[in-house]
Amino acid sequence: WPEGVSFITCENTLTSFQKFMKYHRSHFSMPVIGITGSNGKTIVKEWLYQMLQNNRKVIRSPKSYNSQVGVALSVWLLDPSYDLAIFEAGISHMGEMKRLQSIIKPDIGIITNVKEAHQENFRDYEEKTREKLILFEDCKTIIYCRDHERIHNMATEQFGRERCFTWSQKEKGDVCIKNLKKSKGSVEFEFSYEDKSGIFNVPFSDEASLENIMHVISCLLW
């Protein structure tokens, strides 16, 4: 054997690695944001990081490290110098999210959407939505778009309305978005939340980017 190298033998390397990362995660108490969904996880994570980095020391998943191995590698980066963590979690089969939830243990959850990605491995969208929501079992708050009826119905059924913080373009959410004005690759819109209100102008106009930025704004408001 190479000099100075130690070896650990185990029956399953992935399971053992994940157990080690659960142990590592248990040593930290800073707030952790967990993000899941079919699309937009990495963009929402990166935009949140950009918004928060001037006021917090933030650790986040590298690139799109959201798989069974990627989540464990991301959590390994935790150390006491950080005061906030943002990790994304992706799944492609039933049973995977429970393992990721036990590693990330998020306090705040964001679910972006539930769409076609990896649908071939689930019976229907309801099954996939339920699997994704497992990430939020221990969360104090779950953030999502109120206009996604399936997500809203399942989240409130599982966690109760008091743990859900929502945004909506139909004036149904905690944060209301209205008066969208699109012009040549940019959009201006108004938001209102409790006694706060304001106008945002963002340099894109596609629906996916608008949904992503609204998740970010809602998280920041919360």
Side-chain angles (χ1 to χ4, degrees):
W1 304 113
E3 186 177 351
V5 174
S6 299
F7 293 85
I8 298 172
T9 60
C10 57
E11 293 185 5
N12 186 297
T13 53
L14 176 60
T15 299
S16 299
F17 185 40
Q18 290 178 331
K19 286 181 178 179
F20 182 40
M21 289 307 103
K22 286 168 60 178
Y23 173 75
H24 180 67
R25 167 70 177 90
S26 70
H27 289 78
F28 302 96
S29 58
M30 77 278 280
V32 174
I33 300 173
I35 304 172
T36 193
S38 297
N39 306 107
K41 297 183 290 295
T42 302
I43 293 295
V44 170
K45 177 202 67 185
E46 291 298 325
W47 285 354
L48 265 178
Y49 170 77
Q50 290 178 30
M51 295 287 195
L52 293 166
Q53 64 176 330
N54 291 330
N55 298 309
R56 304 279 192 279
K57 185 171 183 187
V58 182
I59 182 67
R60 70 198 193 278
S61 305
K63 302 179 181 178
S64 296
Y65 279 32
N66 58 43
S67 66
Q68 295 290 305
V69 174
V71 166
L73 289 170
S74 300
V75 171
W76 176 239
L77 300 175
L78 278 173
D79 72 52
S81 68
Y82 295 104
D83 49 33
L84 179 68
I86 309 172
F87 298 125
E88 55 176 290
I91 56 168
S92 55
H93 293 87
M94 289 294 295
E96 290 186 334
M97 190 59 89
K98 183 61 180 176
R99 301 176 77 170
L100 300 185
Q101 189 276 338
S102 68
I103 300 169
I104 298 174
K105 283 283 185 182
D107 307 286
I108 302 160
I110 300 174
I111 181 165
T112 57
N113 50 57
V114 178
K115 296 184 178 179
E116 292 82 5
H118 302 296
Q119 185 58 41
E120 66 274 10
N121 298 319
F122 298 90
R123 286 197 307 267
D124 49 38
Y125 284 102
E126 181 173 330
E127 183 178 69
K128 184 162 65 173
T129 303
R130 199 172 300 282
E131 178 72 12
K132 289 181 181 295
L133 290 174
I134 289 172
L135 180 62
F136 308 136
E137 285 181 353
D138 298 323
C139 283
K140 301 180 181 71
T141 302
I142 302 101
I143 297 167
Y144 59 89
C145 177
R146 170 64 179 82
D147 303 335
H148 295 322
E149 291 292 340
R150 182 188 300 106
I151 293 175
H152 177 68
N153 292 338
M154 296 178 72
T156 52
E157 174 189 337
Q158 185 168 341
F159 305 115
R161 180 64 183 91
E162 66 279 359
R163 290 169 64 186
C164 299
F165 186 83
T166 65
W167 65 268
S168 171
Q169 295 188 62
K170 301 176 181 178
E171 299 189 0
K172 294 180 179 180
D174 299 290
V175 180
C176 291
I177 308 295
K178 57 185 179 180
N179 296 332
L180 275 77
K181 300 174 184 176
K182 295 185 179 183
S183 60
K184 290 186 178 180
S186 67
V187 172
E188 181 180 279
F189 58 88
E190 299 177 25
F191 81 91
S192 59
Y193 165 57
E194 294 184 339
D195 59 345
K196 304 177 181 70
S197 62
I199 296 176
F200 277 90
N201 191 293
V202 292
F204 39 72
S205 57
D206 61 286
E207 290 301 318
S209 294
L210 288 172
E211 184 175 78
N212 291 336
I213 197 63
M214 289 170 189
H215 290 311
V216 172
I217 290 169
S218 298
C219 186
L220 294 173
L221 286 170
W222 182 85

